[in-house]
Amino acid sequence: MPSALDTLPLCVRSCLAPLALTMLVAGCQALPAGSDNAQGDDPLAGAPPIERGLDAQGLSGLLTAELAGQRGDYRRATLGYLEGAERYGSVALVERAALAARFSNDPQLLTDTAELWRTLAPDSDAPTRLLASLALQRGDWPEALAQRLQVVARGGQGELTAFVELALGERADPAPLLELMRHHLARPGADEHPQHHDAELATALLEVAVGDTTSAQRRLDRLAERSPERPELWLAQARLAQESGDHTRAREAVRRGLTISPGDPRFVLMLAQSELRLGNIDAAEAQTDNLLESQADNQELRLALAQLYLEENHPEPARRLLLPLVGETDTPAQAFYLLGAIAEAEGEVDNALLYYRQVPPGDDFLPARLSAASMLIEDDRLIDARAFLRIERLRHETYFADLVSLEVELLERAGRSDDADALLDRELDRTPNDEQLLYLRAMRAWEAGDLEAMERDLGRVIERNPDNVTALNALGYTLADLGIEGRLEEAREMIERAHELEPGSPAIMDSLGWVHFRLGDPERALPWLERAYGAMPDQEIAAHLAEVLWALERRDEARALVREAIERFDVRPLLDDLLERIPELSP
């Protein structure tokens, strides 16, 4: 059935197209030139209400949203489209809201939009996939899997095996994921679903990860009877055998997979790994050489193979794989980084230093400098390490503050706090307005208990850049957390300003909730803390949320949250402090 919006005249519906705005305002909204309503009376005052199409408020809202999007105010555009979508039940408008929300830098707004989208279009997979992606971005693997399983339950593609492989590669806790998968497979008719094989494989991988190799093997054996032609089955069989330490069986499974998918790099890599673990280095190198012959220009493959040898503690084959890359004009940064690591492991400090210095600007730049300086310090060459970092600051001005911060960290690790402070003061004398270094010095002052020095440096940052979100939130939160009398309103204003600038930040939401709690308003604090914890599960936010729930007499919820947080977080200083102050919160 068409929505109310779909029944509108074309000239009104055209407000959704940016280029039609001028025509719309001039043509669809203008009064006739001969109107004699000169007295300003409303000729429609007694007209019946509009039941189909756009009324003035709806049209105004859509125009405002469209213009906001044209100006780059994506948050306001999203809110306008959402209002229209709810008002008219329009899937087209909520899809437009989702597009705007992607650019709003507000994950919660995008989540709310996706939820409405799913309500208005319950048969569409798109909003559920979006919710799964958002959960993945915030590291909530169980929620991401739960959303994917909803897609699968409706007959869509969930790519569950690929998802589980990614989760395990990122060291996600496999136990809650396994519980979700087993519940999914226990549904009536689950074994008749076209994606059943994918779900079974994903579950087997999770069973391997939790150590339930018996269940995993039974599951894989059943799959082998029904669908022995699927290469993913033999990848899972090989992984299970490797986890069990049976590298001969792993090799057999890989070879079976290669008969189904000849030349598949995944199988070749696993075969080389199995040969390495069986002590057959020559056989492993023969496999990798054959693979490289067919893909001679594949730099990523060569890097992956080198990393495989390094992981199995065979640096020389790794070096032989990497050295040909160094002679190329477009040598990957990671090649220099890995060669540096190999030379360092072999005790070739100066050779390693040469490789580390060749890592160009990019993702590996700072890790390479950290590795080089740390290596020199461990070799009792602190002076050389500091000279190296000083030269690197001159060579790479864009990394100046990062390299100073790195040296400060290394001096602190070496027990040279005074030298770290002196370095920071000296460099700030030279660059007094460097916001990154001012912030670093402020945080060191806070750690030392010197609130006055911290506030002085953060104040300089904010004075120079009133839109520095990090400084606003840090100072506002500190004033709120310390509960300094007479300054809580000031703290609230700073945090609210930070939230205006970065509305999707869970850390700022946490600060907002905490300052409202400090101001004696736990009811107002609660929704901010719930949103913050939902977006970024963190032990500090959990402690704040539990304390607010406790203050609101919601004792069972507070204890349940503490119990869940204790299980989730190995290091939880704020939770431990909370339990010391309120022992009754202990689950």
Side-chain angles (χ1 to χ4, degrees):
M1 178 180 293
S3 70
L5 193 68
D6 296 327
T7 66
L8 298 175
L10 177 61
C11 69
V12 177
R13 281 188 281 125
S14 67
C15 72
L16 298 181
L19 296 178
L21 282 173
T22 304
M23 183 186 302
L24 173 66
V25 174
C28 297
Q29 289 293 98
L31 289 171
S35 173
D36 58 0
N37 184 31
Q39 303 302 315
D41 296 332
D42 183 1
L44 300 179
I50 295 175
E51 296 182 353
R52 295 180 64 197
L54 286 171
D55 57 12
Q57 181 180 348
L59 179 60
S60 173
L62 293 180
L63 285 170
T64 299
E66 191 69 26
L67 289 169
Q70 294 294 302
R71 293 193 304 270
D73 187 351
Y74 298 112
R75 177 176 174 79
R76 188 173 183 183
T78 303
L79 293 173
Y81 292 132
L82 284 177
E83 182 181 355
E86 289 184 288
R87 187 182 181 93
Y88 299 109
S90 169
V91 175
L93 281 177
V94 78
E95 289 178 353
R96 200 164 180 83
L99 180 62
R102 288 179 185 273
F103 298 97
S104 69
N105 196 31
D106 187 344
Q108 187 60 47
L109 181 61
L110 185 53
T111 299
D112 295 342
T113 303
E115 291 285 7
L116 177 60
W117 186 0
R118 184 161 61 180
T119 299
L120 295 177
D123 295 330
S124 172
D125 287 345
T128 304
R129 291 185 181 279
L130 178 55
L131 287 168
S133 175
L134 290 168
L136 196 60
Q137 290 176 23
R138 62 176 183 266
D140 190 344
W141 295 95
E143 176 61 20
L145 178 57
Q147 297 292 349
R148 282 176 175 260
L149 289 175
Q150 288 193 37
V151 173
V152 173
R154 290 199 298 266
Q157 293 278 353
E159 298 174 341
L160 300 175
T161 300
F163 172 84
V164 166
E165 288 177 336
L166 176 63
L168 295 177
E170 294 294 327
R171 301 185 182 279
D173 182 0
L177 303 180
L178 178 57
E179 182 179 352
L180 285 169
M181 288 305 310
R182 284 176 169 169
H183 179 74
H184 172 76
L185 290 172
R187 296 177 305 114
D191 56 350
E192 299 175 3
H193 193 282
Q195 302 302 316
H196 179 69
H197 184 277
D198 184 37
E200 289 275 16
L201 271 177
T203 306
L205 290 175
L206 290 168
E207 287 170 339
V208 173
V210 301
D212 188 359
T213 54
T214 302
S215 296
Q217 190 63 66
R218 283 201 301 265
R219 196 178 300 278
L220 292 174
D221 288 343
R222 290 197 301 269
L223 288 172
E225 292 177 3
R226 295 199 299 266
S227 306
E229 76 289 350
R230 293 179 178 264
E232 292 82 4
L233 167 66
W234 299 105
L235 278 172
Q237 289 276 26
R239 287 175 181 146
L240 174 57
Q242 284 186 343
E243 289 291 332
S244 303
D246 190 344
H247 304 302
T248 300
R249 188 159 58 89
R251 182 173 59 184
E252 292 171 357
V254 171
R255 286 173 173 168
R256 178 73 180 271
L258 280 169
T259 63
I260 300 170
S261 183
D264 188 325
R266 298 174 299 173
F267 286 114
V268 177
L269 284 170
M270 290 194 73
L271 182 55
Q273 188 175 49
S274 297
E275 297 287 12
L276 286 173
R277 293 182 178 179
L278 288 167
N280 302 327
I281 299 176
D282 291 341
E285 289 197 77
Q287 291 294 334
T288 55
D289 288 344
N290 289 335
L291 181 59
L292 287 171
E293 282 181 11
S294 62
Q295 303 189 43
D297 297 329
N298 192 331
Q299 291 184 339
E300 291 185 2
L301 177 59
R302 189 174 286 272
L303 287 169
L305 290 167
Q307 287 178 312
L308 170 63
Y309 281 107
L310 287 175
E311 288 169 3
E312 299 299 326
N313 199 28
H314 295 287
E316 278 309 311
R319 195 199 303 260
R320 285 195 291 273
L321 284 165
L322 293 168
L323 283 174
L325 296 176
V326 175
E328 299 179 3
T329 56
D330 58 342
T331 303
Q334 196 175 21
F336 288 122
Y337 187 70
L338 291 175
L339 283 166
I342 292 169
E344 181 182 353
E346 297 292 319
E348 303 169 4
V349 175
D350 292 325
N351 195 25
L353 186 60
L354 288 174
Y355 282 124
Y356 284 139
R357 290 190 64 179
Q358 292 182 79
V359 175
D363 293 341
D364 292 314
F365 178 87
L366 286 174
R369 272 65 189 177
L370 174 60
S371 295
S374 299
M375 173 186 67
L376 290 170
I377 291 173
E378 290 175 7
D379 200 40
D380 293 327
R381 295 167 59 181
L382 176 61
I383 294 176
D384 290 344
R386 299 194 66 181
F388 162 72
L389 292 173
R390 183 169 62 251
I391 293 170
E392 291 301 285
R393 291 199 292 273
L394 295 173
R395 291 178 63 215
H396 303 279
E397 291 185 7
T398 55
Y399 285 90
F400 169 77
D402 293 310
L403 290 166
V404 172
S405 302
L406 191 153
E407 186 173 347
V408 167
E409 179 185 343
L410 290 173
L411 288 169
E412 191 67 39
R413 287 187 198 173
R416 308 281 291 266
S417 294
D418 291 343
D419 288 341
D421 290 335
L423 169 66
L424 205 45
D425 291 341
R426 183 171 64 252
E427 296 301 338
L428 275 168
D429 285 342
R430 293 178 56 244
T431 57
N433 296 318
D434 191 298
E435 294 179 16
Q436 183 176 337
L437 296 185
L438 283 169
Y439 184 82
L440 175 60
R441 189 166 69 177
M443 293 301 100
R444 288 177 62 80
W446 175 79
E447 291 173 358
D450 190 345
L451 178 63
E452 183 179 348
M454 173 194 177
E455 186 172 359
R456 183 170 58 247
D457 281 338
L458 289 181
R460 284 175 60 184
V461 173
I462 295 169
E463 181 181 3
R464 178 173 174 78
N465 180 9
D467 292 343
N468 189 302
V469 172
T470 304
L472 286 166
N473 187 53
L475 184 53
Y477 174 80
T478 301
L479 294 175
D481 193 48
L482 295 176
I484 298 176
E485 187 174 352
R487 303 200 64 184
L488 287 175
E489 283 297 333
E490 180 186 356
R492 180 184 58 77
E493 290 174 3
M494 280 190 278
I495 297 169
E496 287 181 345
R497 174 59 181 155
H499 181 256
E500 288 176 8
L501 295 166
E502 199 170 312
S505 168
I508 297 174
M509 293 180 206
D510 172 60
S511 298
L512 267 177
W514 197 235
V515 74
H516 286 309
F517 179 66
R518 290 298 203 190
L519 284 164
D521 193 348
E523 288 282 0
R524 192 173 180 186
L526 183 63
W528 288 112
L529 293 172
E530 288 177 330
R531 285 184 65 186
Y533 192 66
M536 185 180 72
D538 172 87
Q539 65 91 25
E540 182 173 354
I541 302 175
H544 291 161
L545 179 55
E547 187 164 354
V548 168
L549 288 169
W550 188 264
L552 291 170
E553 304 292 331
R554 293 166 63 169
R555 305 293 171 85
D556 290 341
E557 292 176 62
R559 289 193 184 97
L561 174 62
V562 169
R563 184 185 308 111
E564 185 264 339
I566 288 174
E567 293 175 356
R568 173 177 282 191
F569 307 111
D570 295 328
V571 180
R572 45 180 188 274
L574 266 73
L575 273 171
D576 294 339
D577 176 67
L578 176 63
L579 293 174
E580 285 185 14
R581 290 189 288 109
I582 310 176
E584 297 87 350
L585 260 171
S586 298

